[in-house]
Amino acid sequence: MIIIMKPEATTEQINTVVERIESEGMTAYLSQLDHQVTIGVAGDVQRLSTGGFNIYDGVERTVRVSSSYKLTSREFHPSDTIVEVGDLKIGEGHFVMMAGPCSIEGLDQIMECARIAKAGGATVLRGGAFKPRTSPYAFQGLEEEGLKYIRRAADYYDMKVITEVMDEANLELVCQYADILQIGARNMQNFKLLQAVGKTGKPVALKRGIAGTIDEWLNAAEYIANQGNMNIIFVERGIRTYETATRNTFDLSAIPVIKKLSHFPIIADPSHGVGVWDYVPAMAIAGVAAGADGLIVEIHPNPAEAWSDGQQSLNEKNYLNMMQQVDIMNEAMTKIREIKLV
Amino acid sequence: MIIIMKPEATTEQINTVVERIESEGMTAYLSQLDHQVTIGVAGDVQRLSTGGFNIYDGVERTVRVSSSYKLTSREFHPSDTIVEVGDLKIGEGHFVMMAGPCSIEGLDQIMECARIAKAGGATVLRGGAFKPRTSPYAFQGLEEEGLKYIRRAADYYDMKVITEVMDEANLELVCQYADILQIGARNMQNFKLLQAVGKTGKPVALKRGIAGTIDEWLNAAEYIANQGNMNIIFVERGIRTYETATRNTFDLSAIPVIKKLSHFPIIADPSHGVGVWDYVPAMAIAGVAAGADGLIVEIHPNPAEAWSDGQQSLNEKNYLNMMQQVDIMNEAMTKIREIKLV
Amino acid sequence: MIIIMKPEATTEQINTVVERIESEGMTAYLSQLDHQVTIGVAGDVQRLSTGGFNIYDGVERTVRVSSSYKLTSREFHPSDTIVEVGDLKIGEGHFVMMAGPCSIEGLDQIMECARIAKAGGATVLRGGAFKPRTSPYAFQGLEEEGLKYIRRAADYYDMKVITEVMDEANLELVCQYADILQIGARNMQNFKLLQAVGKTGKPVALKRGIAGTIDEWLNAAEYIANQGNMNIIFVERGIRTYETATRNTFDLSAIPVIKKLSHFPIIADPSHGVGVWDYVPAMAIAGVAAGADGLIVEIHPNPAEAWSDGQQSLNEKNYLNMMQQVDIMNEAMTKIREIKLV
Amino acid sequence: MIIIMKPEATTEQINTVVERIESEGMTAYLSQLDHQVTIGVAGDVQRLSTGGFNIYDGVERTVRVSSSYKLTSREFHPSDTIVEVGDLKIGEGHFVMMAGPCSIEGLDQIMECARIAKAGGATVLRGGAFKPRTSPYAFQGLEEEGLKYIRRAADYYDMKVITEVMDEANLELVCQYADILQIGARNMQNFKLLQAVGKTGKPVALKRGIAGTIDEWLNAAEYIANQGNMNIIFVERGIRTYETATRNTFDLSAIPVIKKLSHFPIIADPSHGVGVWDYVPAMAIAGVAAGADGLIVEIHPNPAEAWSDGQQSLNEKNYLNMMQQVDIMNEAMTKIREIKLV
């Protein structure tokens, strides 16, 4: 931690800060830079609140040196982590394709989605049984009935299931049916839920919050990891900005940033990232090019009849066309990875 | 709902949309505007997803006419709602002052905070026993012990208690000690929690999400209201923007907007709004001037020693000085309300 | 400037950075904090680019200690600057009221606006003759004809004129008619124009950019000030965020922040800040409460007929009602300023 | 244009709006939707301000049907426009690579940059002679001297020159040396400058504003196009958001959006998009995958010594490595384009 004093800070004010630091059992290092005194703090600063120092007279601001997450950081674990979902591997070159509807609407619909998903090469079936909806009057999901349907469809087509868990109360139930627990964007900082999924040990797909910073996202993963669960998959799904031409602003640069700072895999969700189906294929392959370890996309046999997110769902024809593009892109990325190593 | 067709939409594409509308039992009204056909949809559109129409060929976009919240809207309840917390009234000219520390740190600290809060005129004591923190290694609150302390301090000084509830699991516990349940910014769209606090019937202070739109905020309130709980207080606490000179961007214009669209009271939280203690008094009185029904501020006997949020907490002297300003402002607002009515 | 090295930085990498610093004739101070080496740089760092250091292997990031603006900072000029416009004073308790239409539409319209503005107590008449419009097909202003009209109207009612200058080519022309040159939000970082208005010595009202940070805004003022023109008035007019209930997000906390960091006066523009006329009075008085040295608002004899910005313009009745509120608020602020000094 | 009346609007209020519409020589179409009356307006609405209607009692809001740009829209020109710069073609499968330093620092530096750029396959040399800098004390560019150097370097290596023009005063000068005029992000809405470059007829690279919406960007292009200059290249360079892990948030989804709405080519600038050199290659190839018609990147023989933007500049080795990746990506995109057509 570095404390930057104001240019007009008095010696007395500086001494007060130094005394406080020393009273906490830490060491203060003073430098005079640009007409301002800066005070480096060495010791177990993790437990100090930066705010505590900002309050002292003469202090301009406080700068953190080290990040607050540990298990999630690449420093802690320099090589890529591969998340295993049964026999399926995700990360370090193991590309995963997840597809399915926004909501599970019935057994026929999810069976048909599974058929299409599988035909395009997906190995994980997505579908929501508990739906977080802005309005309480919108469709909230089929709940356990939906979970049964998606499990059945996935088993029939030999796929894994990813589905959202919204609260602790239903966690045990969701765990019975799901292979990967999805934490939705609105729950990225629902810390109690993060701890609870951490305790299950199950693979967790952690979506970035609607306005989550990358630093907060890494810290959210730390809530799961420090419960002993190292099966974390980051999901970039777009952030909220002023732009309205797309549903969110799809921040693909989060992919190289996360890969630099963390060892966990990261996949891209172009459906939520842009929110308009005809932009999805372009952004899916851009996500692969940016280095994503996989994709998750919304498909529907008949998007116009979808109970939710129809406008961002691909129909069979468009999904299969996109998957051909994804295959070409994955081939190109294999060659590109070789070049990077040179 | 209005569907705007593309300029190049064919008659066949228009007919397909109209047929879909009619198959749902609704009526379609066509107009030709600016070389584009628009289709008004009349009937029970609440259950339709706008996305469903965007997917049709030839559709440019879909515009909602009516809002999706009802009980929360001023249309539903044209006069101001007064929320009653025991003998305390909030709203329609009844100004409420809430003050206290970010975290409850011990009995002595919260007793001292209560003394200061009361001395300045506050009638509600704030303090967190369950703390949502970005890092799992930061102080997470004293939990039930903290709840006991704040209750004791509030009772001693004849104040009400407002404290945050973070999850359903602890809701019953928090209800035993609190008079007002606070839903934190990170939980504005934790819909399961909103429904659960809705069922308690207790007054709920609903903070705006870190990136919550006003429309989402009103819909979040609807999740509480449609459980039969009409004791809702909105809390504007700043939103996330690109600006870093303040912790958040304090959106005081949300106050007149909420007052126009809803009947529930709204209070301002300048401490989180700006995050720097010496900007708090100016923004507190600005909040009153914008029409807030009350304020909630962070105070601490010794902000430099605070376990959290020290940099935005007022000490006794600064808080009491601010409260003198607030009193003058409230007098001015009484006169201003009379002028507005003319 | 402080350079924070990565935890894994080698001694060789640290030495490379230190050598570079010393080769620039500056001094390096090393500290070991939180398992990371930090290097303070003392000397004439203003001319160094922070980017230059980030590129070295082993460097995590670089933190600036001092701000890059000087003449604009309160450090340079601790007491408030009063900007004088003829006999009119702005700043340090001298409150200024500016009102007028968005666009000058004709002599009758601007005369009528001046009459209304004056009746409410305004001493400065606003009105655009050169209009920056998103679309090239929208009304672009009456140009010199408009300038003549606004000058005549202001003279008739003994008011000053504020009007926007959009480019250097028309600067001399605008200077002939205007008392205060307005730099619009889109031009906050049009550095050539800033330098040009700096050279005129005329009072300049510098609007905050649509996405301008406060730091950039202060630096923009520095472009004017370092041409020798210390007659600068900041204008907060709202920033662009994700919220769409208002035209912009009116960042009133910029007022105490600017007052802390700079000595120049700052006024508030609630018309652009919220963009909806019926929110304007509440936000105008909130601006006064936040400490603004004045207000600038849009009025129109018949907003429904306005050629631009009708939806945010006040008619005569609403403007006069607002001005009564502003007067009460100014009285309250006089009392509040006394309390602050205690 | 569609006017949505409030649910409580009276017949009298509706009639007032209808009369106004008819008095403008347009036709009003009424529908009753969701308990609210909507009024479609047909006729020459381009010259009406939406704001004018919002001001009427009983009006909730006004929705535009058609966009305000014409020449820029794909409707106006359904096939892709190819911009020709001498013998160089940009757009419709003609991929362009632009590279060079942020600032021209001297003849040796720009010659060396040109050599490297060319070696990687670039055909356009970038380099700033007039630099828009946040602080007036930062390096502002070598001006005409710099222009001479870049021209000489480009001619030597048989490349084209792209360089920024910041103001009308220097436009003629810049035109003497440049093949493509760059409009910087801060000037996206400097409408006088847009009109001036429009009149030159020269190819213009129009960067997206720091907080520019895609709609504003298209309208900015219209300012150039309606001067008769159809040689426009859009440049996506990242937008300002709350995220600080990257310099900007690189909005690659703007590429498919622009391609859908406009016929002009669009290229990607990953250097400014992310602002950190080691994320540039990943985002460059992601940009190609998203469908960009080219790339513009910053390179420097020795980034640590760069006078500006060193942290985002690639050195020779990294640039050449990236270009190998770009080549593979372009091959993949050729295959992908064939699949899309099926």
Side-chain angles (χ1 to χ4, degrees):
Chain A
M1 194 186 285
I2 299 169
I3 299 162
I4 300 175
M5 303 297 295
K6 291 178 187 166
E8 69 270 22
T10 64
T11 309
E12 203 184 333
Q13 289 169 342
I14 294 165
N15 287 345
T16 304
V17 172
V18 170
E19 279 162 24
R20 168 75 195 283
I21 292 165
E22 292 175 346
S23 78
E24 300 275 356
M26 293 178 225
T27 313
Y29 292 94
L30 273 73
S31 315
Q32 173 85 27
L33 308 176
D34 315 1
H35 313 292
Q36 297 184 231
V37 168
T38 63
I39 308 174
V41 186
D44 179 19
V45 296
Q46 208 73 42
R47 62 184 180 78
L48 283 185
S49 156
T50 54
F53 286 103
N54 286 340
I55 204 81
Y56 282 100
D57 290 338
V59 171
E60 189 175 288
R61 65 199 156 106
T62 306
V63 176
R64 274 216 172 276
V65 171
S66 55
S67 62
S68 48
Y69 51 87
K70 293 169 192 171
L71 306 173
T72 303
S73 74
R74 198 170 270 283
E75 251 172 75
F76 170 79
H77 189 288
S79 64
D80 284 1
T81 284
I82 298 176
V83 173
E84 299 190 15
V85 186
D87 54 342
L88 185 71
K89 293 181 175 180
I90 303 171
E92 208 190 27
H94 300 275
F95 186 87
V96 69
M97 187 68 214
M98 308 184 182
C102 175
S103 302
I104 305 160
E105 298 169 10
L107 183 58
D108 288 354
Q109 175 245 23
I110 191 72
M111 284 295 283
E112 181 64 358
C113 286
R115 182 190 64 74
I116 297 168
K118 181 83 175 191
T123 52
V124 180
L125 182 64
R126 65 152 288 156
F130 296 93
K131 300 298 305 172
R133 302 300 296 275
T134 299
S135 163
Y137 306 113
F139 173 60
Q140 309 271 322
L142 292 183
E143 308 200 347
E144 188 170 6
E145 197 190 346
L147 293 173
K148 284 181 184 164
Y149 295 156
I150 193 172
R151 183 74 264 167
R152 218 199 293 177
D155 286 347
Y156 187 87
Y157 286 100
D158 190 25
M159 300 176 79
K160 309 294 179 195
V161 166
I162 181 171
T163 198
E164 178 165 355
V165 56
M166 276 177 67
D167 58 350
E168 274 186 82
N170 288 302
L171 176 56
E172 210 181 301
L173 179 72
V174 174
C175 280
Q176 287 171 37
Y177 298 97
D179 301 300
I180 305 173
L181 301 171
Q182 180 182 307
I183 298 292
R186 291 174 186 80
N187 280 322
M188 187 192 86
Q189 291 197 311
N190 182 337
F191 301 119
K192 298 286 184 185
L193 183 59
L194 296 176
Q195 289 171 323
V197 298
K199 282 180 192 132
T200 67
K202 281 224 172 204
V204 179
L206 178 63
K207 289 203 157 188
R208 184 174 181 183
I210 290 167
T213 64
I214 290 176
D215 189 69
E216 288 170 346
W217 198 13
L218 291 161
N219 274 289
E222 191 79 7
Y223 267 92
I224 299 167
N226 88 342
Q227 298 294 330
N229 187 345
M230 299 296 275
N231 299 305
I232 299 170
I233 303 156
F234 289 104
V235 186
E236 164 61 33
R237 46 77 73 203
I239 58 173
R240 180 163 281 173
T241 72
Y242 64 83
E243 179 58 67
T244 57
T246 45
R247 181 176 178 179
N248 292 293
T249 295
F250 196 30
D251 181 14
L252 285 179
S253 58
I255 295 171
V257 175
I258 285 285
K259 289 214 154 286
K260 188 179 179 186
L261 300 176
S262 181
H263 51 95
F264 290 122
I266 176 168
I267 67 172
D269 174 355
S271 306
H272 287 87
V274 293
V276 182
W277 75 267
D278 49 353
Y279 303 144
V280 169
M283 298 318 288
I285 59 174
V288 177
D293 297 299
L295 293 171
I296 181 165
V297 299
E298 289 187 348
I299 60 174
H300 199 282
N302 186 357
E305 305 281 340
W307 296 3
S308 57
D309 279 358
Q311 77 280 12
Q312 69 192 34
S313 298
L314 294 168
N315 64 19
E316 180 167 2
K317 177 171 156 266
N318 292 323
Y319 165 70
L320 293 178
N321 185 286
M322 180 189 81
M323 289 310 297
Q324 285 186 278
Q325 300 178 36
V326 168
D327 289 344
I328 293 171
M329 191 51 64
N330 270 322
E331 277 170 45
M333 289 306 287
T334 304
K335 291 186 210 161
I336 283 173
R337 275 196 198 93
E338 281 161 21
I339 284 169
K340 278 190 197 168
L341 294 176
V342 177
Chain B
M1 192 186 286
I2 299 169
I3 298 163
I4 300 175
M5 302 298 294
K6 290 179 189 167
E8 69 271 21
T10 63
T11 308
E12 203 185 332
Q13 288 169 342
I14 293 166
N15 288 344
T16 304
V17 172
V18 170
E19 280 162 23
R20 169 74 195 283
I21 291 165
E22 292 175 346
S23 77
E24 299 277 353
M26 294 179 225
T27 313
Y29 292 94
L30 271 74
S31 315
Q32 172 86 26
L33 308 176
D34 315 2
H35 314 292
Q36 297 185 232
V37 167
T38 63
I39 308 174
V41 187
D44 179 20
V45 296
Q46 206 74 40
R47 61 185 180 79
L48 283 186
S49 156
T50 52
F53 286 104
N54 287 340
I55 205 81
Y56 282 100
D57 290 337
V59 171
E60 189 176 289
R61 65 200 156 103
T62 306
V63 177
R64 274 217 172 277
V65 171
S66 55
S67 62
S68 48
Y69 50 89
K70 295 169 190 171
L71 307 173
T72 303
S73 75
R74 198 170 270 284
E75 248 174 78
F76 170 80
H77 190 288
S79 65
D80 284 0
T81 285
I82 298 177
V83 172
E84 299 191 15
V85 186
D87 54 342
L88 186 71
K89 292 180 176 182
I90 303 171
E92 209 192 25
H94 300 274
F95 186 86
V96 69
M97 187 69 213
M98 308 184 183
C102 174
S103 302
I104 305 159
E105 297 169 10
L107 183 59
D108 289 355
Q109 176 247 21
I110 191 71
M111 284 294 283
E112 182 63 359
C113 286
R115 182 190 63 73
I116 297 168
K118 180 83 174 190
T123 52
V124 180
L125 182 63
R126 67 152 285 155
F130 296 93
K131 300 297 307 171
R133 302 300 296 275
T134 300
S135 164
Y137 307 113
F139 173 61
Q140 309 270 322
L142 292 184
E143 308 200 346
E144 186 169 7
E145 197 190 346
L147 293 173
K148 285 181 182 165
Y149 295 157
I150 193 171
R151 183 74 263 167
R152 219 199 292 176
D155 287 346
Y156 187 87
Y157 286 101
D158 191 24
M159 298 176 79
K160 309 295 179 196
V161 166
I162 181 171
T163 197
E164 178 165 355
V165 56
M166 276 177 67
D167 58 351
E168 274 187 83
N170 287 301
L171 176 56
E172 210 183 300
L173 179 72
V174 174
C175 281
Q176 288 170 37
Y177 298 96
D179 300 301
I180 304 173
L181 301 171
Q182 180 183 306
I183 298 293
R186 290 174 188 80
N187 281 321
M188 187 192 86
Q189 291 196 311
N190 183 336
F191 301 119
K192 298 286 184 185
L193 184 58
L194 296 176
Q195 289 172 322
V197 299
K199 282 179 192 134
T200 67
K202 280 224 171 204
V204 179
L206 178 63
K207 288 203 158 190
R208 184 173 180 185
I210 290 168
T213 64
I214 290 175
D215 189 69
E216 288 170 345
W217 199 12
L218 291 161
N219 274 290
E222 190 79 7
Y223 267 92
I224 300 167
N226 88 340
Q227 298 295 330
N229 187 346
M230 299 295 276
N231 299 304
I232 298 170
I233 303 156
F234 289 104
V235 186
E236 164 61 34
R237 47 76 73 202
I239 58 172
R240 180 162 280 172
T241 71
Y242 65 83
E243 179 58 67
T244 57
T246 46
R247 182 176 177 178
N248 292 294
T249 295
F250 196 30
D251 181 14
L252 285 179
S253 58
I255 295 170
V257 175
I258 285 285
K259 289 214 157 286
K260 186 177 179 187
L261 300 176
S262 181
H263 52 95
F264 291 123
I266 175 167
I267 67 172
D269 173 355
S271 307
H272 287 87
V274 293
V276 182
W277 74 266
D278 49 353
Y279 304 143
V280 169
M283 298 318 289
I285 58 174
V288 178
D293 297 298
L295 293 170
I296 180 165
V297 298
E298 288 187 349
I299 60 173
H300 198 281
N302 186 355
E305 305 281 341
W307 295 3
S308 57
D309 279 357
Q311 77 281 10
Q312 69 192 35
S313 299
L314 295 168
N315 65 18
E316 179 167 3
K317 178 171 155 265
N318 292 323
Y319 165 70
L320 293 179
N321 185 287
M322 180 190 80
M323 288 310 298
Q324 286 186 278
Q325 300 178 38
V326 169
D327 290 345
I328 294 170
M329 191 52 64
N330 270 322
E331 278 170 43
M333 288 306 289
T334 304
K335 290 186 212 161
I336 283 173
R337 275 197 198 92
E338 282 161 22
I339 285 169
K340 277 190 198 169
L341 294 177
V342 177
Chain C
M1 193 186 288
I2 299 168
I3 299 161
I4 300 175
M5 303 298 293
K6 291 178 188 168
E8 69 271 21
T10 63
T11 309
E12 204 185 330
Q13 289 169 342
I14 294 165
N15 287 345
T16 304
V17 173
V18 170
E19 279 162 23
R20 168 74 195 282
I21 292 165
E22 292 176 345
S23 78
E24 300 276 356
M26 294 178 223
T27 313
Y29 293 94
L30 273 72
S31 315
Q32 172 86 24
L33 308 176
D34 314 3
H35 314 292
Q36 296 183 233
V37 168
T38 64
I39 307 174
V41 187
D44 179 20
V45 296
Q46 207 74 42
R47 63 185 179 78
L48 283 186
S49 155
T50 53
F53 286 103
N54 285 341
I55 204 81
Y56 282 100
D57 289 337
V59 170
E60 189 176 289
R61 65 201 156 104
T62 305
V63 177
R64 276 216 170 275
V65 171
S66 55
S67 62
S68 48
Y69 51 88
K70 294 169 191 170
L71 306 173
T72 303
S73 75
R74 198 170 269 284
E75 251 172 75
F76 171 80
H77 190 289
S79 64
D80 285 0
T81 285
I82 298 176
V83 173
E84 299 191 15
V85 186
D87 54 342
L88 185 72
K89 292 180 176 182
I90 303 171
E92 208 190 26
H94 300 275
F95 186 88
V96 68
M97 187 69 213
M98 308 185 181
C102 174
S103 301
I104 305 159
E105 298 169 10
L107 183 58
D108 289 354
Q109 174 246 23
I110 191 72
M111 284 295 281
E112 181 65 357
C113 286
R115 181 190 64 73
I116 298 168
K118 180 83 174 191
T123 52
V124 180
L125 182 63
R126 66 152 286 157
F130 296 93
K131 300 298 305 172
R133 302 301 296 275
T134 298
S135 165
Y137 306 113
F139 173 60
Q140 309 271 323
L142 292 183
E143 307 199 346
E144 187 169 6
E145 196 190 346
L147 293 172
K148 284 182 183 164
Y149 295 156
I150 193 171
R151 184 73 265 168
R152 218 199 293 178
D155 287 346
Y156 187 86
Y157 287 101
D158 191 24
M159 298 176 80
K160 308 294 178 195
V161 166
I162 181 172
T163 197
E164 178 165 354
V165 56
M166 275 177 68
D167 58 352
E168 274 187 81
N170 287 301
L171 176 56
E172 210 182 302
L173 179 71
V174 174
C175 281
Q176 287 171 37
Y177 299 95
D179 300 300
I180 305 173
L181 300 170
Q182 180 182 307
I183 298 293
R186 290 174 187 79
N187 281 322
M188 187 192 85
Q189 291 196 311
N190 183 336
F191 301 120
K192 298 286 185 186
L193 183 59
L194 296 177
Q195 288 171 323
V197 299
K199 281 180 192 133
T200 67
K202 281 226 171 202
V204 178
L206 178 64
K207 289 204 159 189
R208 184 174 180 183
I210 290 167
T213 64
I214 290 176
D215 190 68
E216 288 170 345
W217 198 12
L218 290 161
N219 273 290
E222 191 78 8
Y223 268 92
I224 300 168
N226 89 341
Q227 298 294 330
N229 187 345
M230 300 296 275
N231 300 306
I232 298 170
I233 304 156
F234 289 104
V235 186
E236 164 61 33
R237 46 78 71 203
I239 58 173
R240 180 163 281 174
T241 71
Y242 65 83
E243 179 60 66
T244 56
T246 46
R247 181 175 178 178
N248 292 293
T249 295
F250 196 30
D251 181 14
L252 285 179
S253 57
I255 295 170
V257 175
I258 285 286
K259 289 215 155 286
K260 187 178 178 186
L261 300 176
S262 181
H263 52 94
F264 291 122
I266 175 168
I267 67 173
D269 173 354
S271 306
H272 286 87
V274 292
V276 183
W277 75 266
D278 50 353
Y279 303 144
V280 169
M283 299 318 290
I285 59 174
V288 178
D293 296 300
L295 293 170
I296 181 165
V297 297
E298 289 187 348
I299 60 174
H300 198 281
N302 185 356
E305 306 280 342
W307 295 3
S308 56
D309 279 359
Q311 77 281 11
Q312 69 191 34
S313 299
L314 295 168
N315 65 18
E316 179 166 4
K317 176 170 157 266
N318 292 323
Y319 165 70
L320 294 178
N321 185 287
M322 180 189 80
M323 289 310 297
Q324 286 185 277
Q325 300 178 37
V326 168
D327 290 345
I328 293 171
M329 191 52 63
N330 270 323
E331 277 170 43
M333 289 306 288
T334 304
K335 290 185 212 163
I336 283 173
R337 274 194 199 95
E338 282 161 21
I339 284 170
K340 278 191 197 166
L341 295 176
V342 177
Chain D
M1 193 185 288
I2 300 169
I3 299 162
I4 300 175
M5 302 299 293
K6 291 179 188 167
E8 68 270 22
T10 62
T11 308
E12 202 185 332
Q13 289 169 342
I14 293 167
N15 287 343
T16 304
V17 172
V18 171
E19 279 162 23
R20 169 72 195 283
I21 291 166
E22 292 175 345
S23 77
E24 300 276 355
M26 294 178 224
T27 313
Y29 293 94
L30 272 73
S31 316
Q32 173 86 23
L33 309 175
D34 315 2
H35 314 292
Q36 297 185 232
V37 167
T38 64
I39 307 174
V41 187
D44 179 20
V45 297
Q46 207 72 42
R47 61 184 181 78
L48 283 186
S49 157
T50 53
F53 286 103
N54 286 340
I55 205 82
Y56 282 99
D57 289 337
V59 171
E60 190 175 288
R61 64 200 156 102
T62 305
V63 177
R64 274 216 172 275
V65 171
S66 55
S67 63
S68 48
Y69 51 88
K70 293 170 191 170
L71 306 173
T72 303
S73 74
R74 198 170 270 283
E75 250 173 78
F76 170 80
H77 189 288
S79 64
D80 285 0
T81 284
I82 298 176
V83 172
E84 299 192 15
V85 186
D87 54 342
L88 185 70
K89 292 180 177 183
I90 303 171
E92 208 191 26
H94 300 275
F95 186 87
V96 69
M97 186 69 214
M98 308 184 181
C102 175
S103 302
I104 304 159
E105 298 169 10
L107 183 59
D108 289 354
Q109 176 247 22
I110 191 71
M111 285 295 281
E112 182 64 358
C113 287
R115 182 190 63 75
I116 297 168
K118 180 83 175 192
T123 51
V124 180
L125 183 63
R126 66 152 287 156
F130 297 93
K131 300 298 306 172
R133 303 300 296 274
T134 300
S135 164
Y137 306 113
F139 172 61
Q140 310 270 324
L142 293 183
E143 308 200 344
E144 186 168 6
E145 197 190 345
L147 293 173
K148 285 180 183 165
Y149 295 156
I150 193 171
R151 184 74 264 167
R152 216 197 296 177
D155 287 346
Y156 187 87
Y157 287 101
D158 190 24
M159 298 175 79
K160 309 295 177 195
V161 166
I162 180 171
T163 197
E164 178 165 355
V165 56
M166 277 177 67
D167 57 352
E168 274 187 82
N170 287 301
L171 176 57
E172 208 183 302
L173 179 70
V174 174
C175 281
Q176 287 171 36
Y177 298 95
D179 300 301
I180 305 172
L181 301 171
Q182 180 183 306
I183 298 293
R186 291 173 186 80
N187 281 322
M188 187 193 85
Q189 291 195 311
N190 183 335
F191 301 119
K192 299 285 185 186
L193 184 59
L194 296 177
Q195 289 172 323
V197 298
K199 282 180 192 133
T200 67
K202 280 225 171 203
V204 179
L206 178 63
K207 288 204 157 190
R208 185 174 180 184
I210 291 168
T213 63
I214 290 176
D215 188 70
E216 288 170 346
W217 198 12
L218 291 161
N219 274 290
E222 191 79 8
Y223 267 93
I224 300 168
N226 87 342
Q227 298 294 330
N229 187 346
M230 299 296 275
N231 300 305
I232 299 170
I233 304 156
F234 289 103
V235 186
E236 163 62 32
R237 47 76 72 201
I239 58 172
R240 180 162 280 174
T241 72
Y242 65 83
E243 179 59 66
T244 57
T246 45
R247 181 175 178 178
N248 292 293
T249 294
F250 196 31
D251 181 14
L252 285 179
S253 57
I255 295 171
V257 175
I258 285 286
K259 289 213 156 288
K260 187 177 177 185
L261 300 176
S262 180
H263 52 93
F264 291 122
I266 176 168
I267 67 173
D269 173 356
S271 306
H272 287 87
V274 292
V276 182
W277 75 266
D278 49 353
Y279 303 144
V280 169
M283 298 318 289
I285 58 174
V288 178
D293 296 299
L295 292 170
I296 180 164
V297 298
E298 289 187 349
I299 60 174
H300 198 282
N302 186 355
E305 305 281 341
W307 295 3
S308 56
D309 278 358
Q311 79 280 9
Q312 70 192 34
S313 299
L314 294 168
N315 64 18
E316 179 166 3
K317 178 170 155 267
N318 292 324
Y319 165 70
L320 294 178
N321 186 287
M322 181 189 81
M323 289 311 297
Q324 286 185 276
Q325 299 178 38
V326 168
D327 290 344
I328 293 170
M329 191 52 64
N330 270 323
E331 277 170 44
M333 289 306 288
T334 304
K335 290 185 211 162
I336 283 173
R337 275 195 199 95
E338 282 161 22
I339 285 170
K340 277 191 199 167
L341 294 178
V342 177

